[in-house]
Amino acid sequence: MATIASLREWLSLPPLTPAEDYGFFGPESVAWQVWSYPTSLTVGFQRAVVIEELDPALVASVDATHAIYDRPRTRYDRTLRYFAMVLFADSRSTAHAADILVKIHSKGIGVDPVTKRSYDANNPQSQLWIHLTAWHSILVAYEKYGPGRLSEADELQYWAECARAAELQTCDPADVPRTRAGISEYFEQMRPQLIGSDIARKAMRHLLQAEVMMPEIPLLLRPMFKVVYAFLRRGTLATMPRWMREMAGLPTGWLLDALVTTPMSVAFTLVSLNARLQIQLLRLISPMTVAVAGPVLLKIPPASTTTMTPRQAQELYGYDIPAQAHQALRDKQRARVFGRGEAPDDQGLIESQAVLGEIA
């Protein structure tokens, strides 16, 4: 009886509160259409965090904190919540979260042990890499396992919305390509800079294990979830270019890539037909994200149906644009790390818990 009661509680739908406004996109946006599909915060997001590790500066920062190994669930949960806020949350909350993110990234500095070059998580080019890898991965998963390729007009709108979202990062929105060809060219330009180092390969293999991000699964459901995890891993691998997988030492078999496509597509189609089921799965993957994406999935209207750009929100709510924000803290962190050889201060990480969720 205790097991059944636990399972019933685990499957219950949490209470959801309407947002203050539609944030930066709204229901008419292509970004909402793509990011709200169940491929996005599963295969799409897993693909993004795996591919990101090929950037030596990013993986050096990730490896230094060790958070993906010490607390993978909360690390994944907080990151997913932030990206969901950018897409679905109200303008005030998201502008605040983006401002806090600059503080969090201020501690992501040091010297890459592989290239021997210094890195800074707030570096505009590092932020552009993260931003484009995420938006591109979400679209790749949507088109492979979801409704299919966007129309030319929708695709142009999607990349324009991607550039709008970049106003929340330290990168220059003008650097965001606005076409599929432009995105492909960006990744080709990045290719010589990417390294399948030992620390990158370790991180990528770790992040491909969906189970490390999951909570304790009820005993009755564990056999089913072992199958789910295996399909998610292979499904994510199947979306990655062969050259990336070879660089990272990951499986490249075309036959398994082909075999996984149909069952993944069918499963995601079925899930997409039931918003409550989508919320339950999201609750499993990222409980902190449910309050953000839940109202969108259930079509709960916000208090105000207005939208604005991030720049408008930053001006309205009194935040500096990210590239210029918190320079004193960033200088302080550089002085600690590069000047005195000390560990960076955790100020931003501590402050972020009220916005993105607890660290532990």
Side-chain angles (χ1 to χ4, degrees):
M1 291 297 292
T3 301
I4 295 175
S6 174
L7 181 60
R8 186 182 297 115
E9 180 181 357
W10 190 69
L11 293 173
S12 64
L13 191 66
L16 298 170
T17 304
E20 184 177 327
D21 58 33
Y22 271 139
F24 307 123
F25 300 106
E28 302 304 315
S29 67
V30 179
W32 268 34
Q33 171 189 327
V34 173
W35 281 73
S36 65
Y37 198 78
T39 51
S40 300
L41 301 184
T42 49
V43 169
F45 200 75
Q46 186 177 48
R47 180 188 193 272
V49 298
V50 169
I51 287 176
E52 285 172 1
E53 309 305 323
L54 289 172
D55 174 36
L58 182 142
V59 78
S61 177
V62 167
D63 192 65
T65 65
H66 226 252
I68 66 168
Y69 305 110
D70 296 340
R71 50 178 184 87
R73 178 155 169 74
T74 55
R75 177 72 166 77
Y76 196 80
D77 195 7
R78 284 163 51 88
T79 304
L80 200 55
R81 176 179 168 87
Y82 175 76
F83 275 95
M85 289 184 73
V86 171
L87 269 296
F88 306 127
D90 64 275
S91 57
R92 186 194 307 270
S93 298
T94 309
H96 179 49
D99 187 70
I100 288 287
L101 191 65
V102 176
K103 291 186 176 183
I104 297 172
H105 285 159
S106 74
K107 73 187 298 292
I109 56 175
V111 176
D112 173 18
V114 176
T115 65
K116 309 304 180 184
R117 294 194 293 265
S118 62
Y119 61 84
D120 181 347
N122 275 316
N123 178 281
Q125 295 310 309
S126 292
Q127 288 284 293
L128 184 65
W129 166 251
I130 293 170
H131 185 69
L132 291 182
T133 302
W135 279 71
H136 180 251
S137 293
I138 297 299
L139 183 58
V140 167
Y142 176 87
E143 293 188 333
K144 185 173 182 65
Y145 301 124
R149 185 160 177 159
L150 295 177
S151 68
E152 183 178 353
D154 282 351
E155 190 172 322
L156 290 173
Q157 184 178 336
Y158 181 81
W159 293 117
E161 290 164 351
C162 175
R164 185 190 311 168
E167 294 180 1
L168 293 162
Q169 312 301 120
T170 59
C171 55
D172 186 346
D175 291 337
V176 174
R178 307 303 175 94
T179 63
R180 184 182 296 263
I183 292 294
S184 296
E185 183 180 349
Y186 169 79
F187 283 105
E188 280 302 310
Q189 290 173 349
M190 284 296 296
R191 188 169 174 174
Q193 304 174 44
L194 305 179
I195 301 176
S197 64
D198 288 344
I199 59 174
R201 291 183 176 210
K202 176 184 175 183
M204 294 171 82
R205 288 194 298 268
H206 178 72
L207 291 168
L208 277 167
Q209 300 176 70
E211 56 267 37
V212 303
M213 271 77 77
M214 296 296 176
E216 186 72 18
I217 302 297
L219 187 62
L220 292 173
L221 299 179
R222 286 178 193 173
M224 178 187 73
F225 272 90
K226 284 186 178 181
V227 176
V228 171
Y229 296 151
F231 268 91
L232 281 175
R233 182 179 188 277
R234 191 69 222 188
T236 298
L237 280 170
T239 66
M240 295 170 59
R242 186 181 184 89
W243 67 264
M244 282 189 180
R245 288 190 269 176
E246 289 176 346
M247 180 181 288
L250 296 171
T252 58
W254 64 268
L255 181 58
L256 285 178
D257 288 355
L259 289 175
V260 79
T261 302
T262 297
M264 292 283 284
S265 299
V266 170
F268 281 121
T269 298
L270 293 175
V271 171
S272 73
L273 299 176
N274 189 321
R276 291 178 65 91
L277 178 57
Q278 291 181 64
I279 293 172
Q280 293 296 358
L281 292 176
L282 182 58
R283 186 184 187 187
L284 177 69
I285 298 167
S286 176
M288 286 296 298
T289 304
V290 172
V292 177
V296 172
L297 294 172
L298 290 180
K299 295 181 171 57
I300 300 173
S304 169
T305 58
T306 59
T307 61
M308 64 181 76
T309 68
R311 288 288 182 263
Q312 290 171 330
Q314 287 152 2
E315 182 177 0
L316 178 62
Y317 303 123
Y319 296 108
D320 291 332
I321 66 172
Q324 300 170 6
H326 306 297
Q327 290 294 343
L329 174 61
R330 292 160 71 177
D331 290 342
K332 172 187 168 185
Q333 299 283 45
R334 282 190 287 268
R336 287 177 64 98
V337 174
F338 298 121
R340 301 193 296 275
E342 300 174 355
D345 189 276
D346 284 339
Q347 176 184 336
L349 200 59
I350 294 168
E351 288 183 29
S352 72
Q353 293 184 90
V355 179
L356 298 176
E358 295 295 323
I359 295 171

